[in-house]
Amino acid sequence: MTGTRLAGQTILVTGAGQGIGRGTALALAKEGAQVALAGRTKAKCEVVAKEIEAFGGTAFALGCDVTERSQVDRAVADVVEHFGGLTGLVNNAASSVQQPLAQVTDADVELCWRSGAMGTLYGMQAALPHLRAAGGGSIVNFGSSTAVDGNATFGAYAMAKEAIRGLSRVAAREWGRYNIRVNVIVPVANSPASVEFGEEHPERFEAVQKSLALRRVGDCETDIGRAVVALVSDDLSYLTGDTLMLTGGK
């Protein structure tokens, strides 16, 4: 059984096979959106698609490496062909490298840059004509608290994530005339990397949680995914070019 808040919307989520991408896809589908799930490992997206179909939602899984423009273009075209259009895009896919800044290599930067900043740009450019054809829509991109705070060892990742925030502000101003809104979420969430950290370093993880005002790391679906629902819905139709800090009061 699904709701109707996002009925009529078709939204593509990248990196949808796990973590925040999965949580976002579930939250969107539960509110009635048709959700396209893209990821490098199609099998993971197919598992999420089955989860969505199990509660009566509509999903379409496809493989896509966002570091390749041709694959992103093909994924968007396949979604439009499958569902008949596109009204929203969630750019979640990204790879991270942890390395002291003095040791960051060109390869580290290239990986984060192509999977994060360039992948986001490719998705936005591919989606633009279809969002315009739909009379407008919403794009949600993801930044990172590690970049906002300047956390040690996240230099390459921070470069890409802050580039995404700048890109999003420019797109919001250029595309607002088409009724296309572009916003960024900076999350603190129980992603697979966060869960792994908690299992390997339980005391440090507990200290991190205690440092948050809400004393807990956000849930990928109920805390982050439902915020995406709000951003793509009419409830926040006057919000664009902004960053939503979902960090639990970090």
Side-chain angles (χ1 to χ4, degrees), residues 48-68:
V48 180
K50 289 179 180 178
E51 289 184 75
I52 290 172
E53 291 164 355
F55 59 71
T58 303
F60 173 52
L62 61 161
C64 177
D65 181 348
V66 299
T67 67
E68 299 291 336

Side-chain angles (χ1 to χ4, degrees), residues 13-26 37 48 90 92 142 220:
V13 181
T14 69
Q18 62 183 10
I20 290 175
R22 172 183 172 273
T24 295
L26 292 172
L37 315 166
V48 180
V90 180
N92 165 69
F142 277 89
C220 289

Side-chain angles (χ1 to χ4, degrees), residues 23-238:
T24 295
L26 292 172
L28 292 168
K30 286 179 180 178
E31 292 296 342
Q34 299 179 130
V35 184
L37 315 166
R40 282 183 302 176
T41 306
K42 183 180 179 181
K44 290 184 178 181
C45 294
E46 289 174 334
V47 170
V48 180
K50 289 179 180 178
E51 289 184 75
I52 290 172
E53 291 164 355
F55 59 71
T58 303
F60 173 52
L62 61 161
C64 177
D65 181 348
V66 299
T67 67
E68 299 291 336
R69 181 188 288 275
S70 61
Q71 291 196 35
V72 176
D73 289 344
R74 182 71 261 170
V76 171
D78 286 348
V79 172
V80 171
E81 180 180 358
H82 184 82
F83 285 126
L86 185 70
T87 63
L89 171 67
V90 180
N91 285 303
N92 165 69
S95 296
S96 175
V97 175
Q98 284 189 254
Q99 190 78 272
L101 197 59
Q103 299 171 23
V104 168
T105 66
D106 289 359
D108 295 333
V109 174
E110 184 75 7
L111 175 63
C112 295
W113 186 258
R114 292 199 62 80
S115 65
M118 296 306 293
T120 296
L121 174 63
Y122 295 157
M124 292 168 67
Q125 289 179 325
L128 175 60
H130 304 291
L131 298 180
R132 290 186 64 180
S138 179
I139 297 172
V140 179
N141 299 326
F142 277 89
S144 173
S145 63
T146 62
V148 174
D149 296 340
N151 289 359
T153 75
F154 283 93
Y157 189 61
M159 289 170 65
K161 284 298 187 178
E162 286 297 270
I164 289 171
R165 291 214 295 159
L167 171 65
S168 301
R169 290 191 294 270
V170 172
R173 282 151 184 78
E174 289 190 5
W175 298 351
R177 71 190 72 179
Y178 310 126
N179 194 34
I180 296 171
R181 297 182 295 108
V182 186
N183 291 291
V184 175
I185 286 178
V186 170
V188 169
N190 58 347
S191 63
S194 177
V195 172
E196 182 179 352
F197 177 77
E199 292 173 348
E200 295 180 353
H201 308 283
E203 292 183 0
R204 290 171 61 188
F205 184 74
E206 183 62 24
V208 169
Q209 291 205 106
K210 287 181 178 179
S211 72
L212 305 176
L214 294 180
R215 299 297 192 271
R216 64 180 179 85
V217 171
D219 181 79
C220 289
E221 179 184 349
T222 58
D223 292 317
I224 312 304
R226 289 200 58 78
V228 176
V229 168
L231 286 175
V232 303
S233 75
D234 291 336
D235 293 352
L236 293 175
S237 62
Y238 197 57

